[in-house]
Amino acid sequence: MSEPTLLVLTADPPPRLGRLAGQVRVAYADEDTLADQLPSADALLVWDFTSDAVRRAWPGEGSRPRWVHTPSAGVDRLLCPELAESDTVVTNARGIFEAPIAEYVAALVLAMAKDLPGTLELQRQRRWRHREGLAVAGTRAVVVGAGPIGRTVARTLRALGVRTAVVGRTPRDGIHGTRDLDPLLARADWVVCAAPLTDDTRGMFDARRFDLMQPSARFVNVGRGPLVVEKDLAAALDKRWIAGAALDVFEHEPLAPDSPLWDVPGLIVSPHMSGDTVGWRDRLGEQFVEMYELWSAGKPLPNVVDKKRGYVPMHDDSPD
């Protein structure tokens, strides 16, 4: 019996797959060669998870891999109707990014509450100007997104004494449904977006939603860029409808040097780094190797994406 073929949509640095030596034939593709190599692959590792190549290459003639793995939390960059309707199993990197992203959100909340950006700017100017910071304990937060990232963010904020509500697709024990989102936004001091990008969530934070928030509220997006109508957020900050915001993800990445978002008052811009800590690529590679060994042994895979919903359902998700 011939070895199965693992096709890797490559990116630098490449994944460390040495443990799979002798178990699988590894082939590499880039955006230009992916379509031609898909029919010969049994499994596909989308190591370049920032690429849209899979979505473009998947429709077409020939067989397709039985398993596709993306080492990212979101799957919106690879799902297309043909993949969603196929028998191919899609998995993601759940378990890698939750704690780092939650730490990053907590850091942003503390930085905005204590005006650390202002302190650093005043230090640069050599100006001594006393100010008063905000107490974080006792404030209210709404975390939009009830998956592992959103839940971990909520637990971390609660450890800071923040009264935190989580909003998910459907209401269940400890989780609010989307019908509760608007009234929760109206009372929140912190609004954290950690939702997956789907047809239902695209552009969910727009002028109407920013108008609902308190003038003292601050907004953080660590989900996906297209969840936010960026021009509406910029206008809300310019008009002081809200007090501040932080974006780690954007509709178009990398953010262009001439983007007006760099200069929006009260906006913290970071380059899609909230989940990336030292050694994160090695952890992603180790996770994939462990999953490959399960798959090759015919055992059930973890982190299986519901391709219709566009994310990995939690075990207690309500049915459609």
Side-chain angles (χ1 to χ4, degrees), residues 281-319:
R281 289 184 179 88
D282 289 340
R283 290 190 289 275
L284 289 172
E286 291 165 3
Q287 181 188 55
F288 174 75
V289 168
E290 292 172 359
M291 293 175 71
Y292 183 87
E293 291 174 339
L294 290 173
W295 181 75
S296 63
K299 296 180 179 179
L301 285 169
N303 301 0
V304 174
V305 173
D306 183 324
K307 294 181 292 183
K308 301 298 183 184
R309 297 185 185 184
Y311 57 89
V312 178
M314 300 296 290
H315 69 278
D316 58 349
D317 267 359
S318 300

Side-chain angles (χ1 to χ4, degrees), residues 48-125:
D48 185 1
F49 56 82
T50 65
S51 170
D52 296 321
V54 174
R55 193 165 56 202
R56 295 194 301 267
W58 195 270
E61 300 294 327
S63 61
R64 290 294 182 262
R66 292 175 285 131
W67 171 36
V68 174
H69 177 74
T70 179
S72 61
V75 297
D76 49 278
R77 301 204 72 151
L78 60 89
L79 283 183
C80 61
E82 292 82 1
L83 175 53
E85 294 165 8
S86 73
D87 294 331
T88 296
V89 174
V90 175
T91 55
N92 76 350
R94 184 172 69 174
I96 300 295
F97 297 109
E98 289 85 343
I101 290 176
E103 292 170 356
Y104 201 86
V105 170
L108 287 170
V109 167
L110 291 169
M112 288 190 281
K114 308 307 178 182
D115 191 27
L116 293 187
T119 294
L120 294 173
E121 176 58 24
L122 288 168
Q123 179 181 350
R124 188 189 67 80
Q125 298 175 16

Side-chain angles (χ1 to χ4, degrees), residues 39-52:
S40 62
D42 298 288
L44 172 64
L45 169 58
V46 189
W47 192 246
D48 185 1
F49 56 82
T50 65
S51 170
D52 296 321

